[in-house]
Amino acid sequence: MAHWLLLQLLINGIVAGSLYALLAISFATIYAPTKTFHFAHASIYVYSGYFLYQFAMGWGWPLPVSILGGVVTAGAMGVLVDRVVYTPLRRSGAGVMEVLLSSFAVFVVLQSVLLLVWKSDPRTIRVPEVLKNGIPFGVLTVTPLDLLTVATAGAVLAAVAVFMRYTRLGKAIRAIENDAGMAVMVGIPTEGVRMATFFLGSALVAVAAVFTALDKGLEPTIGVQALLVAVVAMIVGGVGSFPGAALAGLLLGVVENLGIWKIPSEWKSTITFSVLALFLLFRPSGFFGQRVARYSE
Amino acid sequence: MRTNRTSKQIRSVPATLWALGLVLALALTLGGLTGAAHAQEEFKYGAVMPVTGPIPQYGEYFIRGSQLALEDLEKGGWIDGRKIRVVLEDGKNDPKVSLAAINKLINIDKVPIVETVGSSVVLALGPVAQENRVILVNTAAQNPNVRKIGNFIFSLVPLADGVMQTTARQAVEGMKAKTAGLLFVNNEYGRGVSSTFQKLFEGSGGKVVASEIHAQGETDFTTPLTKLKFANADIVFFVGHENELGYALKKAKQIGMKSRWLAPPGVFNPLTLTLAGDAAEGLQAADYPFDPVYGTERMRAFGKRYQERFRVLPGNAAARTYDAIMLYAAALKTGGRTPEQIRDYLLSVKNFDGVSGPVTFDKEGITLEQPVVRVVQGGKIILMK
């Protein structure tokens, strides 16, 4: 029986990990090129879930349309936060710390607005039952939604990888990440690219939020945990490395779930932070630290 | 006196500041006067509630329950025309934050009575209230240690030491369970109630085969439930809040768990059923008698009014808040003013006609209310014979 449990935990870990990978990539997409520690990313995450709720349950739109609406609205909201808060601050000479603080303020304000608009009641989104009822494989179970989560996360991550590597915009994002000053000199419209990264990062986090909302429901407070996972995964993967962040996200999910095989499951987040601590001690540049160094040469 | 000193201080400053100073002084005097007048007119009812944090639904129960109580008191002409004002502080269900809040209520607002919920919070605030000789009313905490704090602590909720006897009996005799897995919230409520249950369950020949803990406000129960599923116990005894229970039941069904579920009192409410849907089917609990749909006429009237007003049915904590404020008002009507007089009134009450049921306290200030056993059947909460 025990090894079956281990296998089930591994499956759970891969499902959780694929969402963590999305979270990590979404945060890295914004952080790597703009160097903005976007704490309000946590708010975007929560809001995109509530947008989905509003569209699907409040206004009765069909689920696929609501999901698309939630993702696009979240992207727009990310750009809005940058334009209204970070960019004016940056123009008046604010440093990294000021922007971080303002980001925290945005988070607090948005959290309160959320409570005003949607109240604190937990919300669930009605999903066709077939998606959620487990398919038994002997003693193991996987829900179709789990499979959909892993498949979607894989597809989105692959699309992001292709986008970053082969499109002009993707290349521009990587150029700015590499050397923002040089990027301006060679004529990259950095403000436009900046807006694109905020849109992309926010839309990506919305994808993770959508799956969380569909599977587990929504509470106003779920954003911070998601942000922490994203940041830890980004650091463990090596700041600036997109494959690294994705892989680290997956690893975190698996380690978290396997780690609690013999100890109570409340220790999950302790495991997350132990992984972070180990990496900071022994490999501070993360999985793909080397490659980051070569980029910046 | 005040104007004198003000003019002396500002003798050597420019004219604009003069004017400003005068306005300020005037405002201060006026503010002070009206403040004093208010203090004389109103009685205060303090509350430390989790308006935000992991269980904000309890903040909402309080706000809504107290609103209805105040409306009724207003209709009845208050206490000889003197209003009751609710002073609400957000404790986030965090003992540290709640301690700061109760100190503010006691020292600055000078309230004679404070209502609060949550075992961790009640156990933290109890000694402070006791020391300051201010009444603490508990409307939702079940940890049996609440009984021991002191004679200024009142509980409108029966504590786990009593209720768990019925619960454990239901597990052994009603559900014929030999083994149980525990799933409880990581705080004084979860630990206090689950360990009380475990002791009684194992005392009647049952065996606890697995124990999992979840965080307050948890929405993802995949991991603890996976482990409980593989422990394969006859029943799962869950201790936590209604939102957590809703999510847990739903997940249990999705991963194909076969165990039947038993819950502590108070979590059988509309929120659980909304979140869990048909996954709540078969859930049992030794529960509070309050039932806004099938209860006594008075309960149903309260339920109907609450639903018309807020478009949801009341949780039992909302009903207890209503009763707590009505009890306070009744104490004031008898002429009680100091916390000691209010305490003596509360102890003397026999079958007070509350919306949560008749209220009588034992000599330690804990309600004598007896639990009933309920089960979810066909999407409805049904009383078991």
Side-chain angles (χ1 to χ4, degrees), chain A residues 121 134 216 260 263 265 268, chain B residues 60 212 223 226-227 247 254:
Chain A
D121 312 324
K216 292 149 197 154
I260 48 103
I263 59 174
S265 47
K268 244 181 167 178
Chain B
E60 209 128 270
E212 285 290 319
T223 317
T226 301
K227 290 181 76 180
Y247 290 124
Q254 288 162 13

Side-chain angles (χ1 to χ4, degrees), chain B residues 4-197:
Chain B
N4 256 344
R5 207 174 343 131
T6 317
S7 51
K8 231 185 255 168
Q9 275 170 355
I10 55 179
R11 196 171 291 154
S12 58
V13 293
T16 39
L17 279 185
W18 242 100
L20 201 76
L22 268 177
V23 170
L24 214 86
L26 198 70
L28 274 176
T29 334
L30 276 178
L33 275 178
T34 46
H38 265 281
Q40 227 170 27
E41 272 169 15
E42 294 176 338
F43 294 109
K44 286 178 181 167
Y45 183 85
V48 179
M49 285 289 156
V51 181
T52 63
I55 50 164
Q57 67 268 31
Y58 280 86
E60 209 128 270
Y61 295 150
F62 174 82
I63 292 170
R64 291 169 174 178
S66 61
Q67 211 174 327
L68 296 185
L70 292 185
E71 279 173 19
D72 285 353
L73 288 170
E74 187 174 11
K75 266 183 235 149
W78 297 108
I79 319 308
D80 304 326
R82 284 177 69 180
K83 280 174 76 170
I84 293 181
R85 185 161 66 91
V86 167
V87 189
L88 171 62
E89 295 286 326
D90 183 11
K92 305 180 195 286
N93 202 35
D94 178 337
K96 287 193 294 291
V97 179
S98 302
L99 275 172
I102 198 175
N103 279 321
K104 187 221 161 214
L105 287 175
I106 293 174
N107 298 320
I108 296 173
D109 295 305
K110 310 249 185 264
V111 298
I113 183 166
V114 177
E115 181 187 329
T116 193
V117 296
S119 291
S120 305
V121 173
V122 174
L123 289 174
L125 303 194
V128 179
Q130 182 68 24
E131 198 178 306
N132 288 284
R133 306 181 77 75
V134 165
I135 292 179
L136 190 74
V137 181
N138 160 32
T139 47
Q142 299 167 39
N143 190 302
N145 293 331
V146 170
R147 187 183 291 280
K148 299 175 194 154
I149 305 171
N151 61 353
F152 277 85
I153 317 303
F154 282 84
S155 186
L156 278 159
V157 194
L159 302 178
D161 47 6
V163 178
M164 281 307 121
Q165 295 191 348
T166 314
T167 311
R169 198 181 322 123
Q170 181 61 20
V172 175
E173 290 168 15
M175 302 173 96
K176 307 266 181 261
K178 303 229 169 355
T179 53
L182 304 180
L183 175 58
F184 57 94
V185 61
N186 187 13
N187 63 17
E188 289 304 323
Y189 163 48
R191 278 187 291 274
V193 173
S194 63
S195 69
T196 311
F197 172 82

Side-chain angles (χ1 to χ4, degrees), chain B residues 336-360:
Chain B
R337 291 293 180 267
T338 66
E340 284 82 359
Q341 290 164 338
I342 296 166
R343 178 193 66 194
D344 293 343
Y345 171 80
L346 291 178
L347 285 174
S348 74
V349 154
K350 289 275 175 295
N351 290 322
F352 181 87
D353 188 19
V355 291
S356 67
V359 183
T360 309

Side-chain angles (χ1 to χ4, degrees), chain B residues 178-184 194-195 197-203 205-212 228 231 233 235 237:
Chain B
K178 303 229 169 355
T179 53
L182 304 180
L183 175 58
F184 57 94
S194 63
S195 69
F197 172 82
Q198 181 168 4
K199 220 179 299 160
L200 294 164
F201 181 66
E202 299 198 321
K207 191 168 168 19
V208 169
V209 291
S211 212
E212 285 290 319
L228 283 174
I235 59 166
F237 179 61

Side-chain angles (χ1 to χ4, degrees), chain A:
Chain A
M1 210 57 178
H3 57 284
W4 287 115
L5 171 60
L6 200 63
L7 201 58
Q8 178 76 61
L9 289 175
L10 178 69
I11 295 170
N12 294 352
I14 291 170
V15 176
S18 57
L19 285 182
Y20 288 180
L22 272 181
L23 287 174
I25 287 287
S26 76
F27 190 80
T29 302
I30 294 174
Y31 181 79
T34 69
K35 302 291 176 285
T36 305
F37 196 96
H38 184 30
F39 199 92
H41 204 49
S43 311
I44 307 284
Y45 175 79
V46 182
Y47 269 79
S48 41
Y50 277 88
F51 288 147
L52 170 65
Y53 172 83
Q54 187 62 39
F55 297 154
M57 305 300 289
W59 298 339
W61 296 5
L63 200 56
V65 180
S66 307
I67 292 175
L68 195 69
V71 171
V72 172
T73 319
M77 189 176 165
V79 176
L80 196 69
V81 169
D82 174 52
R83 288 297 110 179
V84 174
V85 185
Y86 303 153
T87 297
L89 275 173
R90 225 161 18 96
R91 293 213 169 115
S92 54
V96 174
M97 195 43 108
E98 286 83 356
V99 172
L100 169 62
L101 282 176
S102 73
S103 175
F104 192 68
V106 171
F107 167 76
V108 173
V109 170
L110 286 179
Q111 172 110 354
S112 308
V113 172
L114 185 112
L115 284 171
L116 275 179
V117 178
W118 283 288
K119 302 285 179 293
S120 56
D121 312 324
R123 309 282 180 168
T124 48
I125 293 154
R126 213 168 299 125
V127 180
E129 280 295 311
V130 279
L131 274 183
K132 292 190 130 186
N133 286 338
I135 313 164
F137 296 98
V139 287
L140 302 177
T141 24
V142 185
T143 69
L145 191 62
D146 288 343
L147 296 176
L148 197 62
T149 304
V150 176
T152 311
V156 169
L157 290 176
V160 171
V162 169
F163 170 82
M164 288 289 181
R165 198 153 194 91
Y166 298 110
T167 63
R168 281 180 70 86
L169 187 54
K171 285 178 187 163
I173 291 175
R174 285 192 296 138
I176 293 175
E177 173 206 332
N178 208 332
D179 189 333
M182 185 61 90
V184 177
M185 272 187 258
V186 298
I188 294 174
T190 49
E191 286 305 313
V193 175
R194 192 182 158 90
M195 279 158 76
T197 62
F198 268 90
F199 185 87
L200 183 62
S202 305
L204 284 172
V205 84
V207 176
V210 161
F211 280 101
T212 311
L214 292 179
D215 190 24
K216 292 149 197 154
L218 290 165
E219 303 242 358
T221 47
I222 54 176
V224 179
Q225 183 62 29
L227 182 77
L228 285 177
V229 168
V231 174
V232 171
M234 188 183 72
I235 295 172
V236 168
V239 177
S241 163
F242 291 102
L247 212 62
L250 187 63
L251 176 90
L252 274 182
V254 171
V255 170
E256 243 184 38
N257 278 281
L258 289 185
I260 48 103
W261 182 32
K262 289 290 176 193
I263 59 174
S265 47
E266 56 168 334
W267 293 92
K268 244 181 167 178
S269 39
T270 315
I271 295 170
T272 311
F273 286 103
S274 309
V275 172
L276 175 65
L278 286 177
F279 266 84
L280 288 180
L281 273 175
F282 298 111
R283 200 174 166 82
S285 52
F287 281 151
F288 294 105
Q290 234 92 59
R291 203 182 292 175
V292 176
R294 206 163 60 225
Y295 270 146
S296 56
E297 267 165 19

